[in-house]
Amino acid sequence: MHRVQRSRYVVLAPALAFAALLAGCGPDADKTPSAASWVSAAPSVSPSSSPSASASPSAALSPSATAAALDWSANTKKLNAALAKVPGSFSVAVLDKKTGQKYAYRGTVSFDTASIVKAQILACMLLHDQAAGHAPTSGEMALAKPMIRLSDNNAASSLFQHVGGRSAVTACNRKLGLTHTAVNSRWGLTKTTANDQIRLLSEFVDTAGPLNAASRKTIYTLMSTVSEAQDWGVPSVATSGETATVKNGWDTRSADGGLWAINTIGRVTDDDVNVSIAVLSHDNQSMSSGVTLVQKVAKLTRQTLGY
């Protein structure tokens, strides 16, 4: 499992690690051919409006639940203020599965997925196999493993086409409840929102959802064993003994003036914590500054919401 000791799947020296990052999801990600929304209980948020969180406590709640809800409400206000001071173009959404409390900051704003879409492609491959009545084949897993663990673009392109390309992944999105994700045939240019990514992460662990137990286990196994080079983003908020799953995305294009899109999605769990986190960003001056931004935002959610 991906605990706060680092992933045991691949260990790369720093220079090789950075090279692997660039190779897996860098400038070529958008060049590879082929490749609605979950919202919190409060109103949706536009980029210029105040973010939203879960609804205020009702009279029907127990005293302890009411106190917890009041704490959450107060903390979301603090988080709104803290995030408003963070420079950069980003969005974030958080779902605490234990309490059902949800938070979104610019959660309905669209961003390029870059390689976080590979988690979605994996889910679609698994649903494809479920519909066919068989487990993933050895050939499919030979592509799925490097696609998630190493963010391999060629593997992603092969699986994207294998499951049926843009139209099939769009149909798969509907099954997964993703209503604000627009699939692009150049899969790295798919558009999504932080709210939709939280919905996707929720489906990865939903026992009543379309993914069966074997499929959910496959997703967990791959996303909890990413390479050392990609062990950033959501895992940065995990503490000792907690397990983190993650899929990161990064891309830079001349069309964006060489600026970077940097995204991270994943879950942090242990006996007391069960939280999904999605942070999306673009217009970063460099990959390193984008990684710093998404990790800062993720850490602020934990520090302020107290999950």
Side-chain angles (χ1 to χ4, degrees):
M1 290 184 293
H2 187 108
R3 297 187 182 273
V4 174
Q5 73 252 20
R6 292 315 190 190
S7 169
R8 61 187 184 276
Y9 182 73
V10 175
V11 179
L12 299 174
L16 290 177
F18 186 69
L21 284 172
L22 295 181
C25 191
D28 291 336
D30 65 309
K31 299 174 185 174
T32 308
S34 77
S37 77
W38 169 92
V39 294
S40 59
S44 301
V45 190
S46 68
S48 59
S49 67
S50 299
S52 64
S54 55
S56 300
S58 69
L61 294 177
S62 68
S64 60
T66 299
L70 288 171
D71 285 344
W72 179 270
S73 179
N75 288 340
T76 59
K77 292 178 181 178
K78 292 178 183 177
L79 183 54
N80 292 346
L83 292 175
K85 295 177 182 178
V86 176
S89 182
F90 64 88
S91 67
V92 59
V94 176
L95 170 64
D96 187 330
K97 187 171 175 61
K98 282 186 172 291
T99 65
Q101 292 167 319
K102 307 165 187 176
Y103 175 86
Y105 183 89
R106 300 172 180 159
T108 60
V109 180
S110 291
F111 291 79
D112 286 355
T113 59
S115 278
I116 61 170
V117 75
K118 292 169 183 172
Q120 185 179 327
I121 294 171
L122 174 63
C124 293
M125 181 201 83
L126 294 166
L127 288 175
H128 173 271
D129 289 343
Q130 286 180 204
H134 63 74
T137 67
S138 59
E140 288 173 331
M141 291 306 297
L143 294 170
K145 289 176 181 178
M147 179 179 72
I148 299 300
R149 289 169 165 167
L150 303 175
S151 205
D152 185 278
N153 288 337
N154 291 332
S157 293
S158 295
L159 281 178
F160 184 81
Q161 293 296 348
H162 172 67
V163 300
R166 180 180 180 178
S167 61
V169 174
T170 298
C172 171
N173 282 350
R174 290 193 290 270
K175 294 178 182 178
L176 295 168
L178 308 185
T179 55
H180 282 65
T181 297
V183 182
N184 194 301
S185 58
R186 298 165 73 183
W187 45 261
L189 299 181
T190 294
K191 294 284 190 180
T192 194
T193 66
N195 285 348
D196 253 19
Q197 290 303 300
I198 287 295
R199 169 70 72 185
L200 180 65
L201 292 166
S202 298
E203 293 298 334
F204 289 173
V205 293
D206 186 358
T207 58
L211 291 160
N212 65 26
S215 293
R216 297 194 303 272
K217 182 178 180 180
T218 297
I219 293 171
Y220 171 82
T221 298
L222 296 184
M223 290 182 66
S224 63
T225 53
V226 299
S227 75
E228 182 80 7
Q230 296 174 42
D231 190 17
W232 50 269
V234 170
S236 70
V237 311
T239 61
S240 180
E242 294 178 343
T243 299
T245 63
V246 68
K247 183 68 197 82
N248 293 318
W250 61 98
D251 191 17
T252 180
R253 300 194 306 275
S254 57
D256 295 330
L259 299 177
W260 288 78
I262 305 291
N263 306 319
T264 186
I265 63 170
R267 307 188 70 255
V268 176
T269 58
D270 72 356
D271 291 342
D272 301 313
V273 177
N274 192 337
V275 174
S276 298
I277 309 165
V279 187
L280 311 180
S281 75
H282 56 208
D283 294 344
N284 296 286
Q285 292 295 320
S286 66
M287 179 175 177
S288 61
S289 66
V291 171
T292 298
L293 171 63
V294 297
Q295 291 190 159
K296 179 177 183 177
V297 170
K299 290 176 181 177
L300 276 172
T301 69
R302 181 153 208 182
Q303 293 164 3
T304 311
L305 296 178
Y307 56 81

